[in-house]
Amino acid sequence: MPEPSQNHGTLFGAGSYVAEDGKTAQIPKAWLAEWKWYYDMVWKDHSAPNYKQLFSDTLNKNNAFVTGKVAMAFTHTWYLSGLIDSSGKPQTFWDLAAIPSYNGKITAKLSSDTFRITKGSKHPKEAFRALSYLLTTGAPDLVKTYNAMPANEKLQADYIKSLNQTWTQGVDWQVALDALKYPDIPSAEGYMPNFSKSADLTNKFGNRWLTTPGLNIDSEAAKLRTELQALFDSAS
């Protein structure tokens, strides 16, 4: 599915729908600027696909970049699994490039996959043993399964070596490594009160850009803030 609105907004800078007090809804200025920019790309400049185009056969039903008909994609290393054609052949027409800064600020939206042992686990010792395996011996195979850049720097060189065996065009993987210096803080994936309903609302908000021409994004954003506040208040 298309990116949630907070993920999209982070292209222009880190932010949160939640103010510092933990209960007030807000719309980060950088996100609002990105939303307007992207909305114009879709409906004014026609340089980005709308929903109908994105899910067409021409654009491979929401895996558009692999078709070679879309010039750029703002995404993560886990998208590597989408760069293999239906016959299982890796596509090698692409490379990585750094995201441009916005107002002189560099922001890399970091998607982090982690494992945890809950306090209420009935088998904490066994769980810890399994987790230790995943973080050490099993890590090289696991990160390839997830197509995730290892957080453990000791594993990164071998991970990149394995990527080069699949994608042989000379990808500049250093871009991904350097991006780790500029994580989005706060995270676009961070906490919101009444999280499930709030996340569903923001996802629908983002999808509405791709399906509806003629929107006033300022008005839509103000409406979103009001609706988020109602959800936040109901959680307290």
Side-chain angles (χ1 to χ4, degrees):
M1 294 299 290
E3 285 281 293
S5 54
Q6 56 268 44
N7 291 7
H8 236 295
T10 301
L11 178 61
F12 278 21
S16 173
Y17 280 124
V18 189
E20 291 185 2
D21 62 7
K23 59 183 181 182
T24 301
Q26 63 179 8
I27 304 296
K29 291 182 179 179
W31 291 7
L32 182 58
E34 196 277 342
W35 298 341
K36 292 179 179 179
W37 169 77
Y38 191 78
Y39 189 77
D40 281 348
M41 287 180 67
V42 175
W43 298 109
K44 181 180 178 180
D45 304 327
H46 304 289
S47 55
N50 61 36
Y51 192 94
K52 184 178 180 180
Q53 294 164 342
L54 189 60
F55 283 86
S56 67
D57 290 336
T58 300
L59 293 185
N60 200 31
K61 298 187 183 300
N62 198 32
N63 187 11
F65 184 71
V66 76
T67 66
K69 295 180 173 66
V70 173
M72 292 179 283
F74 171 50
T75 187
H76 303 275
T77 57
W78 48 249
Y79 179 65
L80 290 171
S81 60
L83 290 170
I84 296 176
D85 68 16
S86 58
S87 68
K89 180 181 178 181
Q91 300 299 287
T92 58
F93 62 82
W94 58 275
D95 198 356
L96 294 180
I99 294 295
S101 64
Y102 176 70
N103 288 341
K105 177 72 173 180
I106 299 172
T107 306
K109 187 174 77 66
L110 182 64
S111 179
S112 178
D113 295 306
T114 60
F115 298 91
R116 294 178 176 84
I117 301 172
T118 63
K119 183 178 181 180
S121 172
K122 294 182 180 180
H123 304 282
K125 292 183 180 179
E126 292 84 354
F128 181 79
R129 187 157 56 248
L131 183 59
S132 298
Y133 169 80
L134 292 175
L135 295 176
T136 54
T137 305
D141 289 333
L142 187 65
V143 294
K144 284 190 289 185
T145 299
Y146 276 82
N147 280 311
M149 182 68 67
N152 185 342
E153 294 182 355
K154 295 179 180 179
L155 300 176
Q156 289 175 356
D158 285 342
Y159 172 69
I160 291 174
K161 183 178 179 180
S162 72
L163 294 179
N164 282 329
Q165 292 172 354
T166 302
W167 288 279
T168 57
Q169 69 269 36
V171 177
D172 188 0
W173 302 110
Q174 191 63 40
V175 170
L177 293 172
D178 289 347
L180 294 173
K181 302 173 185 177
Y182 306 97
D184 54 318
I185 301 174
S187 171
E189 299 179 345
Y191 167 78
M192 291 185 287
N194 210 344
F195 187 86
S196 294
K197 290 184 178 180
S198 297
D200 182 60
L201 178 65
T202 61
N203 290 348
K204 289 178 179 177
F205 170 72
N207 285 343
R208 193 154 61 247
W209 311 335
L210 298 182
T211 58
T212 313
L215 293 176
N216 182 307
I217 299 299
D218 283 310
S219 298
E220 293 292 319
K223 179 182 178 182
L224 173 66
R225 191 195 66 77
T226 299
E227 293 176 342
L228 276 175
Q229 189 63 63
L231 289 175
F232 291 0
D233 292 342
S234 68
S236 59

